[in-house]
């Protein structure tokens, strides 16, 4: 898109998109599980946030193994959430208040209960055999049966499951109940595209496409063993062999022309989850407008920033300072490499999703007095970056990870359970004593789970101060599908309480979301320039892409103290060559941010070229 066209950008470029996790947003029928009528009942809250679209996480009929990411039928809604008619009502009711609905489509794999897979596994001659990825096993050195290759599942163990019925293995990169579809078969693509059109015909404004960079697997995958990086075990990480495969771009262009481009008014959008892809040139291949593939990529660098050498549940080797400096580098990389003014590629700005832990717990210091300040500082960061803003439910409250009194055994996520079990087993096997009652020390692993498990973001949302289950559900106290942070959140941060406090994290987010909309040429489309690398501080200019009719006063300087250090002095850059009408150098004005107590700062004036002193996690937006 040319810069001229930016006065009428497509809706999704200027949007704030709020992710709803259906199980945990609001329960309407007291079964302890959130549902679609529950979402409809809370539309006024969504309006109050100032968001433009809702991304509803997976809600199709599912086998329930991976919280909806194992789909049995792409045209049905899981009965625990409601019906297709409920989705139609949701679209209509959101439409009345100008909010669009984006659906999550999980198209890399289905459930093993999907009729396509039930057919496929029946016999080698079945018409749908080739809809999934079946291969013969191999024979190991001592005659044992081995999977077709050594790829490791993202949920640990082998990426293959043996099916005795036909004596072959099927590929399933996630759990054994999530067989990977064979996208190289044109009938598979046609069927998927039909199911996508089903929802677009109902008025869905676009899709979030689950692990979409995994859909193209090598045709000779039985000859493509992954490099051995973990000696002594069979299964090896194989991301490089199944991410960004040779035909992925062809498939996405086909999806665009066969599906998305057939619809207009509103223009439909896609944001694709693109995991383990850190090179800007690789991400650009998905999102450069003229390539006509995806509109945006959900890129994973910030997700991986605190992972260890063996993935997210291994301890990160970097110090807190190093993690913060990596965070700055990652933000700078994507802000400068995927810029509107350089070819029009659009970033997806995100820090939390249903696949992360809470950002306050990951990037803060774990001290309760800092919680609100960290949440606001991260909100300032996110709301001043160029691209489409994604906010995950509860992030707007500064929610933290589950409290320590909740035992790990109550964490429901399949990823957590499998990773725990795999770690436990390997430690048990490695233990030298053969006496019964061997002790396996899992304390270090537990620490990682408490920091990074997906369960933290998936807990039910606290709505009220004094109501059963913090107002999320009327089910008997404690009977919600996932544990709640009730002791913590009902008392100190819930929607009711924060709504009435002008200095709350919630009201800070609301203010920032509005401010971003008022300055879209700067905050959403502007050019990003790092000002100075002072280790505690992240300071950057956002420069307006078009200064016509504006007298040059729209640039914004963002200064953030990323640390808990008090009184961090930061020398402001001189405002280059900007004079007021009386010939005096212009002065900075305070456009927003927090003050040293974490409250919303009052209007202040700072002279050009002087310093600011920032309190712990304090942040400011300055203009001139
Ligand atoms: O996630 C893709 C993915 O590989 C990671 O985000 C994963 O969730 C894991 O946490 C890495 O440590 C998507 C969905 O968003 C996720 O909920 C599903 O479990 C997964 O795909 C399978 O559909
Ligand atoms: Ca319910």
């Amino acid at each position: 898109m040319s810069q001229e066209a930016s006065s009428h950008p497509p809706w999704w470029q200027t949007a704030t998109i709020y992710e709803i996790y259906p199980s945990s947003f609001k329960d309407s029928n007291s079964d302890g599980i959130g549902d679609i009528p529950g979402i409809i009942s809370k539309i006024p809250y969504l309006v109050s946030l100032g968001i433009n679209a809702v991304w509803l996480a997976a809600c199709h009929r599912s086998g329930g193994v991976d919280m909806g990411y194992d789909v049995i039928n792409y045209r049905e809604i899981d009965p625990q959430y409601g019906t297709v008619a409920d989705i139609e009502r949701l679209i209509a009711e959101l439409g009345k208040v100008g909010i669009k609905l984006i659906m999550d489509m999980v198209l890399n794999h289905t459930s093993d209960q999907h009729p396509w897979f039930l057919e496929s596994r029946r016999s080698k001659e079945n018409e749908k055999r080739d809809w999934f990825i079946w291969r013969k096993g191999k024979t190991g050195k001592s005659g044992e049966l081995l999977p077709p290759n050594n790829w490791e599942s993202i949920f640990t163990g082998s990426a293959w499951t043996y099916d005795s019925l036909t004596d072959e293995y099927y590929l399933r990169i996630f759990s054994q109940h999530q067989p990977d579809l064979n996208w190289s078969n044109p009938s598979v693509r046609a069927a998927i595209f039909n199911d996508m059109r089903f929802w677009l015909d109902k008025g869905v404004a676009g899709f979030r496409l689950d692990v979409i960079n995994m859909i193209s697997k090598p045709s000779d995958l039985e000859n493509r063993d992954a490099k051995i990086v973990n000696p002594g075990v069979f299964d090896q990480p194989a991301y490089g062999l199944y991410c960004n495969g040779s035909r992925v771009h062809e498939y996405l262009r086909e999806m665009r022309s066969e599906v998305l481009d057939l619809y207009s008014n509103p223009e439909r959008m896609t944001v694709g989850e693109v995991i383990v892809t850190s090179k800007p040139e690789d991400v650009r291949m998905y999102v450069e407008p003229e390539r006509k593939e995806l509109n945006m990529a959900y890129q994973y660098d910030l997700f991986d920033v605190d992972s260890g050498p063996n993935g997210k549940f291994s301890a990160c080797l970097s110090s807190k300072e190093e993690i913060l400096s990596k965070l700055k580098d990652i933000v700078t990389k994507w802000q400068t490499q995927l810029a509107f003014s350089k070819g029009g590629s659009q970033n997806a700005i995100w820090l939390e999703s249903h696949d992360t832990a809470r950002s306050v717990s990951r990037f803060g210091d774990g001290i309760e007095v800092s919680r609100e300040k960290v949440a606001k500082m991260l909100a300032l960061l996110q709301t001043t970056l160029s691209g489409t803003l994604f906010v995950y439910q509860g992030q707007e409250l500064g929610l933290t990870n589950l409290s320590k009194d909740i035992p790990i055994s109550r964490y429901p996520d399949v990823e957590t359970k499998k990773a725990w079990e795999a770690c436990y087993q390997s430690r048990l096997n490695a233990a030298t004593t053969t006496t019964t009652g061997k002790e396996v020390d899992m304390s270090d692993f537990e620490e990682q789970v408490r920091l990074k498990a997906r369960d933290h973001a998936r807990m039910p949302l606290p709505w009220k101060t004094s109501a059963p289950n913090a107002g999320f559900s009327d089910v008997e106290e404690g009977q919600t599908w996932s544990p709640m942070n009730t002791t913590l959140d009902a008392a100190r941060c819930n929607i009711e309480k924060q709504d009435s406090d002008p200095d709350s994290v919630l009201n800070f987010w609301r203010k920032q979301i509005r401010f971003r909309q008022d300055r879209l040429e700067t905050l959403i489309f502007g050019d990003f320039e790092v000002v100075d690398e002072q280790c505690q501080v992240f300071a950057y200019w956002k420069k307006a892409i078009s200064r016509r009719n504006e007298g040059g006063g729209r640039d914004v300087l963002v200064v953030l103290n990323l640390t808990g250090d008090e009184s961090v002095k930061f020398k402001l850059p001189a405002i280059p060559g900007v004079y007021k009408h009386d010939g005096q150098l212009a002065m900075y004005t305070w456009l927003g941010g927090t003050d040293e107590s974490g409250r919303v700062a009052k209007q202040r004036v700072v002279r050009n070229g002087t310093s600011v002193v920032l309190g712990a996690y304090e942040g400011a937006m300055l203009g001139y």
Side-chain angles (χ1 to χ4, degrees), residues 149-152 224-229 234 236-239 241:
N149 67 27
N150 67 355
W151 294 5
E152 183 185 49
R224 304 283 202 101
D225 268 348
K227 206 173 88 200
I228 294 171
V229 293
F234 182 76
Q236 302 293 325
Y239 295 103
L241 292 162

Side-chain angles (χ1 to χ4, degrees), residues 222-263:
E222 62 278 17
N223 303 324
R224 304 283 202 101
D225 268 348
K227 206 173 88 200
I228 294 171
V229 293
N230 297 319
V233 290
F234 182 76
D235 310 309
Q236 302 293 325
Y239 295 103
L241 292 162
Y242 57 73
C243 291
N244 311 323
S246 61
R247 295 185 69 186
V248 65
H249 298 291
E250 172 197 334
Y251 299 153
L252 290 177
R253 281 196 292 274
E254 190 177 313
M255 179 193 285
R256 181 77 170 257
S257 63
E258 298 278 311
V259 184
L260 281 308
D261 282 353
L262 305 182
Y263 295 82

Side-chain angles (χ1 to χ4, degrees), residues 26-36 80-81 472-473:
K26 173 71 187 163
D27 176 22
S28 74
N29 61 351
S30 314
D31 63 357
I33 308 168
D35 45 53
I36 293 157
Q80 68 182 346
Y81 301 135
F472 161 70
S473 170

Side-chain angles (χ1 to χ4, degrees), residues 54-357:
V54 165
W55 148 25
L56 185 57
C59 63
H60 298 108
R61 184 184 285 276
S62 142
V65 170
D66 187 18
M67 292 300 296
Y69 289 81
D70 47 325
V71 176
I72 291 180
N73 188 324
Y74 292 107
R75 296 185 185 210
E76 285 177 8
I77 296 300
D78 199 278
Q80 68 182 346
Y81 301 135
T83 61
V84 174
D86 287 326
I87 290 283
E88 288 172 324
R89 198 154 64 87
L90 177 63
I91 294 172
E93 296 297 318
L94 285 172
K96 286 182 192 161
V97 292
I99 297 178
K100 296 186 168 62
L101 183 72
I102 290 161
M103 266 195 142
D104 209 316
M105 289 301 264
V106 188
L107 305 172
N108 172 70
H109 46 271
T110 66
S111 159
D112 61 351
Q113 302 304 308
H114 193 297
W116 299 343
F117 187 73
L118 295 179
E119 284 281 306
S120 184
R121 85 186 315 173
R122 200 165 285 165
S123 75
K124 289 185 190 170
E125 289 72 43
N126 191 282
E127 185 223 339
K128 292 203 167 53
R129 183 64 170 183
D130 185 49
W131 282 39
F132 294 84
I133 301 172
W134 294 94
R135 291 290 186 279
K136 284 192 194 38
K138 289 185 173 165
T139 312
K141 284 201 188 88
S142 17
E144 77 278 26
L145 183 64
L146 290 175
N149 67 27
N150 67 355
W151 294 5
E152 183 185 49
S153 158
I154 290 181
F155 290 164
T156 73
S158 173
W160 296 90
T161 293
Y162 178 69
D163 195 17
S164 58
L165 195 64
T166 51
D167 188 30
E168 284 193 340
Y169 285 82
Y170 61 88
L171 180 72
R172 44 79 173 185
I173 290 171
F174 292 92
S175 80
Q176 71 181 90
H177 303 292
Q178 294 165 292
D180 285 58
L181 279 160
N182 177 16
W183 274 70
S184 72
N185 183 328
S187 311
V188 169
R189 303 203 294 278
I192 288 172
F193 295 163
N194 265 329
D195 286 348
M196 294 176 85
R197 285 189 290 259
F198 173 84
W199 291 108
L200 294 173
D201 288 338
K202 299 209 174 297
V204 162
F207 299 114
R208 178 265 187 186
L209 299 168
D210 193 65
V211 288
I212 202 68
N213 70 326
M214 285 173 44
I215 57 178
S216 166
K217 318 289 190 309
S219 52
D220 62 339
L221 73 184
E222 62 278 17
N223 303 324
R224 304 283 202 101
D225 268 348
K227 206 173 88 200
I228 294 171
V229 293
N230 297 319
V233 290
F234 182 76
D235 310 309
Q236 302 293 325
Y239 295 103
L241 292 162
Y242 57 73
C243 291
N244 311 323
S246 61
R247 295 185 69 186
V248 65
H249 298 291
E250 172 197 334
Y251 299 153
L252 290 177
R253 281 196 292 274
E254 190 177 313
M255 179 193 285
R256 181 77 170 257
S257 63
E258 298 278 311
V259 184
L260 281 308
D261 282 353
L262 305 182
Y263 295 82
S264 55
N265 194 28
E267 185 183 338
R268 312 301 163 107
M269 63 80 95
T270 55
V271 53
E273 191 188 25
V274 172
I275 64 165
V276 204
T277 306
S278 286
K279 289 196 189 124
E281 58 267 36
D282 294 340
V283 172
R284 274 198 217 108
M285 296 276 279
Y286 289 96
V287 300
E288 268 177 3
E290 61 273 19
R291 290 182 56 85
K292 291 199 168 294
E293 295 188 18
L294 302 172
N295 295 123
M296 286 176 279
Y298 228 63
Q299 198 278 337
Y300 260 67
D301 278 357
L302 282 178
F303 177 93
D304 293 323
V305 70
D306 53 356
S307 294
N310 290 312
K312 81 172 185 191
F313 288 128
S314 72
C316 181
L317 301 180
S318 314
S319 66
K320 195 87 197 185
E321 288 69 43
E322 286 164 338
I323 292 176
L324 292 175
S325 108
K326 277 199 258 173
L327 179 136
K328 290 199 266 187
D329 290 347
I330 290 168
V331 168
T332 305
K333 168 169 107 180
W334 293 104
Q335 287 290 296
T336 50
Q337 295 289 324
L338 247 63
F340 179 79
S341 62
K342 285 191 211 156
S345 296
Q346 176 93 349
N347 277 296
I349 307 301
W350 70 286
L351 215 46
E352 281 187 27
S353 76
H354 67 284
D355 288 337
T356 65

